[in-house]
Amino acid sequence: MFRFNVQDEHEKTVIHFDGDLDIEATEVIEGELMNEITHTSELVELNFKNIDFVDSSGIGLLITLISVLKDSEKKPTITNINEDVKVVFELLQLEEILGKDVVNV
């Protein structure tokens, strides 16, 4: 089961993800998180500490989420990426797509 938790920490908003970033997560994020993210701090950290798996729907969602944040003049970053997820990010060249300032694998 996928969950997320939004925390305001000083000058940034941290969104902690927990579970697999897959089709189930897409439904949760599109239904709940997308409305909240435009009302966050300028700096938004997406904490991937508890993400062990990402599939194609999760990658699509992540690209959309980063785009929405950037369009809202937010500065997103992805942190605490585990080794398995880093491999997927590297294979898909997400650093090039999302920007080195967002993800650095």
Side-chain angles (χ1 to χ4, degrees), residues 3-22:
R3 296 181 305 236
F4 69 90
N5 181 11
V6 179
Q7 294 181 331
D8 288 316
E9 297 180 2
H10 305 292
E11 299 174 2
K12 70 179 174 181
T13 299
V14 180
I15 303 171
H16 299 272
F17 293 125
D18 186 12
D20 294 339
L21 198 55
D22 57 12

